[in-house]
Amino acid sequence: MYIPDIELQSLAAIRAFQEKEVLHMIGYLQQFSPFYKDWFKRHGIQADDIRSLEEVKKIPPVTKEALQEQNWDFLCVDKSKIAEYTTTSGTLGRPVILALTEKDLQRLTYNEYISFSCADGTDSDVYQLMLTLDRQFMAGMAYYNGIRKLGAGVLRVGPGVPSMQWENIERIQPTTIVGVPSFLVKLIAYAKEHNIDVNSTSVKKAVCIGENIRNTDFSLNVLGKKITEQWDIKLYSTYASTEMQTAFTECKAGHGGHHHPELLYVELLDDNNEQVGPGEDGEVTITTLGVEGMPLLRYKTGDICRYYNEPCSCGRQTIRLSPVIGRKKQMLKFKGTTLYPPALFDLLNEMNEVREFVVEVHSNELGTDEIMLHLWPLEESEEMDRKIKSYLQAKLRVIPQVRYCSQAEIMKMQFPEGSRKPVKFVDKR
């Protein structure tokens, strides 16, 4: 298992290393970034006057709206140097283009190499990728290249189609799968229906993407338990975004995604853009290190997490991030209750009466949030309706609007045309 030397250093040594890298990035942006040149000028920032991480706080953070509206102003190289065009998924608005140079692609490969190493990957593993590698999806490409650098085998099956996934598991015998946790639940259900013993297969690990498998205390959430109670495999959670071009991946301790300080400087900020303390909710705000094409400085991701800075049992001294508690823009105010969609997802995943769901939110005539739950139930009956609404009443104290759907309707909502991952939340506010 490869661990970069900087990740084994003290927090003070890591901070000193990051200070040097962040100051270098500020100089690079001052010279080559049309957006940041204007940003510094607009806010009276002299790049040469920023001489420590403390002084970096003088630079106002940048939001996703700026990246969406002035996308190409973030490009720091001539377009002839762009090797790959990727885009964000567009979950929170218009998709953003992220252009990568050859150097950026190598950095991305290294990021996933050390991330899969963190998740106990070795060159003797065979990975089955249950995700798309097309549609300008950065992560799919990154996983593939990182696994190749690890020296492991890779099987590009793509998303969906449980029968095809199981056929390849039986024929190729991969050791590790990379996929969305809720799809692993579908794999288990398919295996039960077709008399496949999941625990006698070659699969021993799963790297989980796109959905939480843990609570904020790092215990397995409902989705994580649904998998591990039936399938004796080790789960590793991972958190990343296209903009950061970096991943936070769990080690075997399962106590948060490890920060890679050679690739990213990370802050968790409150509503006043002040750093929060360990264990407190804050918005993940990142500065990319070593990115050549479209580097970002103090970029607010919109994701709310917590961080922990005690040394990990794996030997790494880096901070660890909790699962994403929610996205700042997706916070719901519903009849006096504040909640994030992942909390609703946990409730619905816990219900045996619900096969699949989509949560939709819109504003009513008073300007407050209204929630509609589109549910594919185990069966449609008055008794089932009573059970579902009683459960929601007990857990939420209030009952959102409920609409029952067929499997076809739910699948159409979850996988709209061009979607790279299942859509579980629709925001129409």
Side-chain angles (χ1 to χ4, degrees), residues 368-384:
T368 58
D369 294 340
E370 288 288 347
I371 298 171
M372 168 72 80
L373 303 181
H374 300 272
L375 307 180
W376 172 29
L378 203 57
E379 63 178 59
E380 284 201 47
S381 66
E382 287 186 14
E383 175 65 14
M384 188 64 61

Side-chain angles (χ1 to χ4, degrees), residues 268-276 281-283 300 328:
L268 272 79
L269 303 181
D270 63 19
D271 290 339
N272 298 313
N273 294 326
E274 295 292 333
Q275 173 71 42
V276 301
D281 295 358
E283 184 172 0
K300 300 181 86 170
K328 194 166 186 179

Side-chain angles (χ1 to χ4, degrees), residues 353-366:
E353 294 83 5
V354 175
R355 296 175 187 263
E356 272 299 347
F357 61 86
V358 171
V359 177
E360 181 185 307
V361 61
H362 62 273
S363 298
N364 61 24
E365 62 276 6
L366 299 176

Side-chain angles (χ1 to χ4, degrees), residues 203-267:
V203 178
K204 303 302 176 194
K205 296 177 285 187
V207 176
C208 297
I209 64 171
E211 294 174 340
N212 288 345
I213 55 165
R214 297 191 190 279
N215 301 306
T216 51
D217 64 358
F218 304 120
S219 62
L220 287 173
N221 65 11
V222 173
L223 198 49
K225 286 178 181 175
K226 272 192 172 182
I227 298 166
T228 54
E229 285 173 357
Q230 301 173 83
W231 200 352
D232 185 20
I233 55 175
K234 177 75 174 171
L235 302 183
Y236 299 85
S237 184
T238 183
Y239 160 64
S241 73
T242 302
E243 297 96 319
M244 68 173 71
Q245 303 181 43
T246 314
F248 291 79
T249 304
E250 285 183 341
C251 67
K252 60 187 174 185
H255 280 83
H258 278 282
H259 171 222
H260 300 311
E262 64 272 49
L263 300 178
L264 200 72
Y265 174 61
V266 62
E267 304 166 84

Side-chain angles (χ1 to χ4, degrees), residues 253-380:
H255 280 83
H258 278 282
H259 171 222
H260 300 311
E262 64 272 49
L263 300 178
L264 200 72
Y265 174 61
V266 62
E267 304 166 84
L268 272 79
L269 303 181
D270 63 19
D271 290 339
N272 298 313
N273 294 326
E274 295 292 333
Q275 173 71 42
V276 301
E280 297 177 357
D281 295 358
E283 184 172 0
V284 179
T285 303
I286 55 100
T287 297
T288 54
L289 305 177
V291 171
E292 190 175 50
M294 282 185 161
L296 297 171
L297 174 68
R298 302 204 83 204
Y299 174 78
K300 300 181 86 170
T301 64
D303 293 328
I304 306 299
C305 289
R306 297 171 186 169
Y307 79 94
Y308 299 88
N309 56 8
E310 311 90 358
C312 183
S313 59
C314 71
R316 292 175 179 83
Q317 304 292 308
T318 53
I319 66 166
R320 291 162 287 112
L321 286 192
S322 74
V324 175
I325 296 164
R327 285 182 164 164
K328 194 166 186 179
K329 277 195 162 186
Q330 292 180 346
M331 186 177 76
L332 306 174
K333 295 273 192 181
F334 183 60
K335 297 183 180 178
T337 302
T338 299
L339 70 160
Y340 287 100
L344 273 176
F345 298 168
D346 281 350
L347 288 179
L348 294 168
N349 281 321
E350 198 170 10
M351 298 177 67
N352 293 326
E353 294 83 5
V354 175
R355 296 175 187 263
E356 272 299 347
F357 61 86
V358 171
V359 177
E360 181 185 307
V361 61
H362 62 273
S363 298
N364 61 24
E365 62 276 6
L366 299 176
T368 58
D369 294 340
E370 288 288 347
I371 298 171
M372 168 72 80
L373 303 181
H374 300 272
L375 307 180
W376 172 29
L378 203 57
E379 63 178 59
E380 284 201 47

